[in-house]
């Protein structure tokens, strides 16, 4: 499967944002703590969700996808304490089941998750938190185990405000004896969402969204229903699609508060934006070129690293030179090699990329290196003269519910091609 994109079509219309990938995956993992079956709503139809469902099933839980984009998860049948190896390799977020399994069963074992195209992905801070709570950590032959008869609340300070470590420690501490105070915690909105879900189960957590989270252990948790927040990275991707292709769109189901870093930067480039209560309207007249501006990606509420590639696609066509400092994943510029082949002027030196805007790009055959880099190449192809053929669609489908289909509804000329012969024959 690949994407065929014919560029230079300005976009216009309305697009509805789906549930947040990086909230859904964590709440799915946290549902292992529930005392019964949980219904989760607003779950995006993306392959990472399917992978997380496979992880939970591999542990013995049941996961049923319902017609209405909700899923039912019943953890009562959990009889394995090791996530399936192939899922851990495929998706790093599989390790988010460690906290819940350790909390509920006192043991978890997993393969060390691999790095990926955006750089090394250590889990030392996750393990430091588990150990501080009283777990015995063992590492042998590429596997890691954590064991504890009873976790005890304590004070933990994170060296780096890691999103995953914050979430894994938060879930591990839910059933611990006493109070855990987590300092230098990550402040991402998805962590607030997970806190809200856990408190609906009966946990006692305060402070998510700030750098200090307090978790008072409880004896057991019950079941609940929960609706996931909208995906701030998908919303940002569509705002930048308009920046690149020109035109205007109303992007709805947006928590505008989550977009403040990007909105401020887009205003610096000359984009027109109207902030509604649960939508944004973005516009760029086709004949108006954006002005270059600089960004440095940081943990929330700084400029999100997951929006850096898509922003660079927009800056590759801006007037002037942009300095992009990648402050979270230093190797997250791989996609710029393909962008350069389209005619962009980008030089990368470690965590710094210098982008000199060009008046236009040309469509060519491309390969997506990873999820957000792939999204950036799709956006760039919207402004490419001629036809772009993009391979590596599996990366994009991991984190976006039908990005091509939603762009087509906005007027883009974009379609999936190369459907496997046997499927066409059928
Ligand atoms: C989450 O990854 C997101 N993934 C990422 O989104 C996002 O880019 C990242 O947070 C930062 O916002 C999910 O939520 C599934 P981190 P995570 O732990 O938790 C270092 C996407 O495109 N670190 O906050 O893995 C690490 O090396 C994905 O949707 C340690 O040193 O990110 C990195 O430099 C990509 N030790 C920094 O912290 C640790 O134990 C931030 O990583 C853990 C992390």
């Amino acid at each position: 499967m690949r994407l065929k994109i014919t560029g230079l079509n300005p976009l216009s219309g309305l697009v509805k944002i789906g549930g947040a990938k990086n909230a859904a995956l964590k709440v799915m993992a946290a549902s292992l703590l529930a005392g019964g079956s949980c219904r989760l709503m607003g779950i995006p139809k993306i392959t990472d969700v399917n992978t997380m469902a496979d992880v939970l099933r591999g542990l013995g839980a049941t996961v049923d996808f319902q017609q209405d984009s909700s899923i039912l998860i019943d953890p009562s049948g959990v009889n394995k304490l090791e996530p399936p190896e192939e899922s851990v390799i495929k998706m790093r977020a599989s390790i988010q089941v460690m906290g819940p399994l350790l909390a509920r069963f006192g043991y978890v074992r997993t393969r060390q998750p691999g790095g990926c195209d955006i750089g090394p992905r250590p889990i030392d801070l996750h393990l430091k938190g588990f150990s501080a709570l009283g777990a015995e950590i063992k590492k042998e032959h590429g596997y890691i185990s954590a064991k504890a008869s009873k976790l005890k609340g304590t004070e933990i300070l994170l060296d780096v405000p890691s999103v995953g470590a914050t979430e894994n420690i938060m879930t591990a501490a839910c059933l611990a004896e006493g109070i855990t105070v987590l300092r230098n915690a990550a402040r991402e909105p998805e962590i607030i969402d997970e806190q809200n879900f856990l408190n609906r189960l009966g946990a006692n957590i305060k402070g998510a969204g700030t750098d200090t989270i307090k978790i008072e252990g409880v004896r057991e948790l019950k079941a609940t229903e929960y609706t996931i927040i909208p995906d701030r990275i998908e919303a940002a991707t569509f705002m930048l699609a308009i920046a690149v292709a020109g035109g205007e769109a109303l992007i709805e189901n947006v928590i505008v508060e989550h977009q403040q870093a990007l909105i401020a930067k887009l205003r610096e480039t000359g984009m027109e934006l109207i902030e509604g209560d649960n939508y944004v309207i973005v516009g760029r007249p086709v004949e108006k070129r954006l002005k270059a501006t600089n960004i440095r990606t940081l943990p929330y509420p700084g400029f999100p690293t997951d929006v850096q590639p898509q922003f660079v696609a927009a800056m590759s066509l801006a007037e002037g030179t942009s300095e992009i400092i990648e402050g979270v994943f230093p190797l997250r510029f791989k996609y710029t090699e393909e962008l350069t082949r389209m005619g962009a002027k980008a030089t990368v030196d470690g965590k710094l990329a210098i982008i000199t805007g060009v008046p236009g790009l040309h469509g060519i055959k491309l390969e997506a290196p990873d999820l957000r880099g792939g999204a950036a190449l799709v956006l760039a192809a919207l402004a490419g003269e001629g036809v772009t053929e993009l391979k590596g669609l599996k990366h994009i489908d991991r984190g976006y519910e039908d990005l091509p289909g939603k762009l087509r509804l906005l007027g883009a000329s974009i379609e999936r091609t190369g459907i496997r012969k046997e499927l066409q024959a059928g």
Side-chain angles (χ1 to χ4, degrees):
M1 284 280 263
R2 53 193 64 182
L3 275 185
K4 184 172 164 239
I5 304 159
T6 306
L8 303 181
N9 288 3
L11 303 181
S12 71
L14 181 143
V15 61
K16 188 172 173 50
I17 299 303
K21 164 175 92 77
N22 293 347
L25 296 178
K26 316 308 175 60
V27 170
M28 287 174 75
S31 66
L32 289 168
L33 286 165
S37 180
C38 290
R39 176 187 296 279
L40 305 179
M41 277 84 77
I43 299 290
K45 292 183 180 60
I46 56 177
T47 55
D48 270 6
V49 163
N50 300 339
T51 304
M52 185 56 86
D54 292 342
V55 169
L56 299 180
R57 290 182 185 124
L59 297 170
T62 57
V63 182
D64 294 315
F65 287 81
Q66 312 289 304
Q67 293 306 320
D68 57 357
S69 94
S70 70
I71 51 175
L72 271 179
I73 298 176
D74 182 353
S76 51
V78 169
N79 56 10
K80 269 194 74 177
L81 302 178
E82 183 166 345
E85 193 155 332
E86 61 281 3
S87 302
V88 177
I89 294 167
K90 203 159 54 168
M91 183 183 72
R92 170 187 169 79
S94 307
I95 61 165
Q96 299 304 138
V97 301
M98 293 179 79
L101 291 176
L102 185 59
R104 190 157 174 198
F105 302 99
Y107 182 80
V108 61
R109 179 176 184 267
T110 178
R111 184 194 185 283
Q112 170 87 18
C116 65
D117 300 63
I118 60 176
R121 308 291 295 272
I123 64 166
D124 57 308
L125 298 177
H126 301 236
L127 302 177
K128 178 179 171 185
F130 296 154
S131 166
L133 288 165
E136 182 196 356
I137 307 293
K138 268 203 189 124
K139 291 183 187 177
E140 51 198 359
H141 317 311
Y143 288 82
I144 299 166
S145 65
K147 186 177 178 186
S149 50
K150 185 69 192 161
L151 295 175
K152 287 194 176 50
T154 183
E155 296 250 338
I156 300 169
L157 179 120
L158 287 179
D159 308 46
V160 170
S162 152
V163 172
T166 298
E167 291 164 330
N168 244 338
I169 295 166
M170 194 164 73
T171 48
C174 274
L175 297 173
E177 226 160 68
I179 292 174
T180 299
V181 179
L182 181 55
R183 299 188 194 290
N184 197 27
R187 298 158 58 185
E188 274 67 6
E190 293 75 26
I191 297 170
I192 301 174
D193 213 28
E194 189 169 11
Q195 168 188 274
N196 294 342
F197 170 71
L198 290 165
N199 285 343
R200 291 277 290 277
L201 292 180
N204 185 348
I205 309 173
K206 293 185 182 66
T210 75
D211 61 7
T212 305
I213 301 176
K214 189 173 158 190
I215 305 111
E216 188 158 350
V218 296
R219 297 179 63 75
E220 63 177 353
L221 296 168
K222 55 189 194 316
T224 191
E225 290 200 346
Y226 194 75
T227 301
I228 303 294
I229 55 170
D231 194 317
R232 62 192 169 94
I233 308 302
E234 184 192 16
T237 303
F238 278 99
M239 292 164 75
L240 285 159
I242 300 298
V244 172
E248 182 177 64
L250 187 151
I251 304 170
E252 63 172 2
N253 196 28
V254 175
I255 300 178
V256 180
E257 178 57 30
H258 295 166
Q259 302 296 338
Q260 290 310 306
L262 175 61
I263 286 173
K265 280 295 163 184
L266 284 178
R267 288 208 162 107
E268 286 176 21
T269 67
M271 278 289 284
E272 294 150 17
L273 289 129
I274 299 172
E275 297 174 57
D277 46 12
N278 72 335
Y279 65 86
V280 287
I281 297 172
V282 289
R284 177 180 72 81
V286 175
E287 66 283 356
K288 179 182 173 190
R289 261 181 98 185
L290 296 180
K291 291 194 290 300
T293 190
N294 304 329
I295 60 165
R296 169 194 293 266
T297 68
L298 286 168
Y300 192 89
F303 191 98
T305 175
D306 295 348
V307 177
Q308 175 261 99
Q310 303 90 309
F311 193 83
V312 166
M315 291 300 98
S316 64
L317 291 154
E319 211 157 338
T321 299
S322 304
E323 278 189 14
I324 312 292
I325 298 177
E326 172 50 61
V328 181
F329 294 114
L331 302 183
R332 196 170 200 168
F333 287 121
K334 199 162 172 346
Y335 66 94
T336 56
E337 293 159 19
E338 294 288 71
L339 215 48
T340 306
R341 291 183 54 236
M342 296 179 79
K345 284 196 172 30
T347 53
V348 173
D349 176 7
K351 65 181 189 178
L352 169 68
I354 307 283
I355 315 295
T356 306
V358 295
L361 299 172
H362 39 261
I364 54 169
K365 289 186 187 324
L366 292 170
E367 174 117 26
D370 57 65
L371 166 57
R372 306 302 177 183
L377 296 175
V378 170
L379 265 52
L382 296 176
E385 190 168 352
V387 176
T388 295
E389 202 174 288
L390 181 72
K391 292 201 301 188
L393 209 40
K394 66 177 176 12
H395 292 295
I396 295 169
D397 289 337
R398 285 188 55 172
Y400 290 98
E401 185 174 328
D402 195 13
L403 179 63
K406 288 189 170 183
L407 285 169
R408 191 164 46 250
L409 284 176
L410 288 174
S413 167
I414 179 169
E415 58 182 339
R416 289 173 192 263
T417 61
I419 295 173
R420 286 195 299 276
K421 289 284 170 288
E422 60 278 12
L423 286 180
Q424 276 166 344

